[in-house]
Amino acid sequence: MKEIKEHTISARQACVIIVMCIFANKILLLPSLMYEKSKADAIFAILILFALDLIVLPIFFKLKQLFPNEKLYNILSRKISPFLTKLIYLIFSAYFMFKALLVFSVTYVYFKQQIYQDEFLFLAIIAFIPVINHATAVGLRSFARSIELLFSIVLLGFIACLAFSLFTQLSMPIFFISNAKNFFTTIYEHTFAFGDYIFLFLIIDKIQIKKGQEKNFYFYSLLGMGLILALFFLFYSKYQITSFMHNNALADILVFSVQFNAIGRLDIIAMLTVMVITLFQLEIYNYAFSESFLSLFPKLNVYYSIAVFDILFAILYYIFIGKYEILVGSSDIWSPVPAIFINYIIPLICLIIILIELHLKKRKKKDQTYLSNKK
């Protein structure tokens, strides 16, 4: 029992991890990208995408209830075949790798523009990679505690950015000006930035959820989503028709804000907040890649998965996604297809498994009742 407990996390730790996933790829570049086609109606697009994510949460709870201590890999292997499960986990590995690449690329460009004004890729890599590798090596419980410990500080920094932006010139965004085609195209193209609960499915056997704690997941989820929606609203209120030109939303809403004598530049708050959030997000995606990789190759240990992650990360970044323009330009071409499969098809498969399992249990109970009455 003690060994099992050492490899599990509490419901609150899972909740704060989910908030970090909700923040991922949404606080810097996404508001600008979504504005290009759907204008301020992007707020309604993100509402729909958040609603689709929330629908996945009860599926996770029911799957956890039916298979409380089983890995997702074992559940899928038994229910849909080992071959298809290996294929799904291979897609998982690629999915979380590209999530990590996207987070790193966007944040790297942000810091290059704000601080260094020049290339500092080597410095960024030696600063980020050892930290996220160590988090994966020590295990989920340890880095979940770190996120839980610093969560209040991150939340305070995020809220401070939103609050200080109120001292800038704001005006109500103009809604309902995009056509239906552009609106739904925006939803489709940016699906990859969502799917925030998939990580929970991957670590379903490692989460301890006591009776009544399900509501905590909804509370933290709505908190994270509410902050993102507030960011989008304030960003569009500040920049209006020029929103597409500003690529660092959380920092850009502080531009031209009041400078208090005792504080100086307020954008340091955004820098520190983005840095900590990015580290946590990279830790989560590195661990998710490792979990997927080790499920495919169970005889290997975590250090092999870390080495594979680092090598693939370097190769893909330098050869395929090294240029920021390539990353942004390709996001609406290749990313929606795997995102739709992972974000929605996998939970749908889990829902089908749940319904079949409930049907079998109901049938078994009915047969037992019949045999009991017959005796």
Side-chain angles (χ1 to χ4, degrees):
M1 180 64 72
K2 185 179 179 182
E3 185 180 351
I4 293 173
K5 194 172 183 180
E6 286 176 351
H7 292 86
T8 59
I9 61 173
S10 66
R12 186 177 187 276
Q13 289 169 341
C15 289
V16 297
I17 285 174
I18 284 306
V19 175
M20 292 300 114
C21 291
I22 289 173
F23 288 167
N25 298 316
K26 301 181 187 72
I27 62 176
L28 291 175
L29 183 60
L30 188 65
S32 172
L33 291 179
M34 294 186 76
Y35 188 88
E36 288 183 10
K37 286 189 176 178
S38 58
K39 307 308 178 196
D41 294 333
I43 292 176
F44 302 116
I46 201 172
L47 268 172
I48 292 173
L49 287 163
F50 275 148
L52 290 173
D53 275 355
L54 276 174
I55 292 171
V56 172
L57 198 51
I59 298 175
F60 165 77
F61 289 141
K62 196 63 183 178
L63 193 69
K64 177 69 176 175
Q65 182 184 341
L66 291 173
F67 308 97
N69 298 312
E70 286 197 61
K71 291 182 64 174
L72 179 66
Y73 185 89
N74 296 336
I75 298 170
L76 294 177
S77 293
R78 196 167 66 252
K79 298 298 182 181
I80 66 172
S81 84
F83 174 76
L84 289 176
T85 302
K86 286 184 181 296
L87 183 60
I88 288 171
Y89 267 70
L90 188 62
I91 298 171
F92 267 142
S93 300
Y95 177 81
F96 287 112
M97 172 60 71
F98 280 102
K99 282 266 192 182
L101 281 165
L102 184 59
V103 168
F104 178 82
S105 299
V106 172
T107 306
Y108 170 71
V109 171
Y110 162 65
F111 278 109
K112 188 174 76 170
Q113 292 173 348
Q114 295 294 112
I115 303 173
Y116 289 91
Q117 305 294 322
D118 202 355
E119 294 292 339
F120 70 107
L121 183 59
F122 180 73
L123 179 62
I125 288 176
I126 63 173
F128 276 81
I129 294 297
V131 175
I132 64 175
N133 286 347
H134 177 264
T136 301
V138 297
L140 177 65
R141 188 175 178 85
S142 295
F143 84 74
R145 282 176 173 172
S146 300
I147 297 175
E148 183 182 25
L149 183 65
L150 295 176
F151 178 70
S152 298
I153 297 173
V154 171
L155 206 61
L156 184 63
F158 198 112
I159 294 172
C161 291
L162 300 180
F164 282 122
S165 72
L166 298 175
F167 291 96
T168 66
Q169 187 175 355
L170 302 173
S171 55
M172 181 63 70
I174 302 172
F175 296 113
F176 309 112
I177 57 174
S178 64
N179 57 48
K181 180 183 177 182
N182 287 339
F183 180 78
F184 287 106
T185 299
T186 299
I187 293 175
Y188 170 75
E189 288 180 350
H190 299 290
T191 309
F192 189 77
F194 294 80
D196 304 316
Y197 298 107
I198 293 303
F199 184 70
L200 291 182
F201 285 84
L202 204 63
I203 60 169
I204 190 169
D205 58 310
K206 297 179 175 66
I207 305 174
Q208 292 180 321
I209 304 177
K210 297 178 182 178
K211 188 176 180 180
Q213 288 186 325
E214 291 85 356
K215 64 179 182 295
N216 294 340
F217 285 81
Y218 288 104
F219 171 78
Y220 279 89
S221 296
L222 292 174
L223 173 63
M225 292 173 182
L227 290 173
I228 294 297
L229 288 169
L231 172 63
F232 270 64
F233 181 81
L234 290 170
F235 180 73
Y236 294 150
S237 297
K238 181 178 178 64
Y239 291 108
Q240 297 287 326
I241 61 173
T242 64
S243 295
F244 70 95
M245 298 170 59
H246 302 272
N247 296 333
N248 306 308
L250 190 64
D252 288 340
I253 60 174
L254 295 175
V255 176
F256 308 125
S257 58
V258 176
Q259 292 192 10
F260 298 94
N261 291 330
I263 299 177
R265 289 186 59 182
L266 295 175
D267 55 356
I268 190 65
I269 301 172
M271 292 178 193
L272 293 173
T273 303
V274 169
M275 182 177 67
V276 176
I277 290 174
T278 301
L279 274 174
F280 287 153
Q281 289 164 353
L282 289 174
E283 288 176 359
I284 292 168
Y285 294 142
N286 191 347
Y287 182 86
F289 174 88
S290 176
E291 188 75 11
S292 304
F293 181 85
L294 293 177
S295 295
L296 291 170
F297 304 99
K299 292 185 179 181
L300 301 179
N301 61 37
V302 67
Y303 299 105
Y304 283 96
S305 68
I306 290 172
V308 171
F309 178 90
D310 291 350
I311 293 168
L312 287 177
F313 188 94
I315 292 172
L316 289 170
Y317 190 86
Y318 277 103
I319 296 176
F320 181 60
I321 314 180
K323 292 185 178 180
Y324 185 68
E325 296 80 7
I326 295 176
L327 172 69
V328 176
S330 62
S331 63
D332 60 347
I333 299 172
W334 58 265
S335 62
V337 176
I340 289 172
F341 178 77
I342 295 293
N343 297 356
Y344 308 120
I345 303 300
I346 297 299
L348 183 60
I349 292 171
C350 292
L351 177 60
I352 293 170
I353 291 172
I354 290 167
L355 294 175
I356 293 172
E357 189 71 15
L358 290 174
H359 175 73
L360 292 175
K361 282 191 172 185
K362 186 177 180 181
R363 186 175 177 180
K364 185 178 179 181
K365 187 176 180 182
K366 195 174 182 180
D367 290 343
Q368 288 175 345
T369 304
Y370 173 77
L371 290 172
S372 178
N373 291 335
K374 193 174 181 181
K375 289 179 181 179

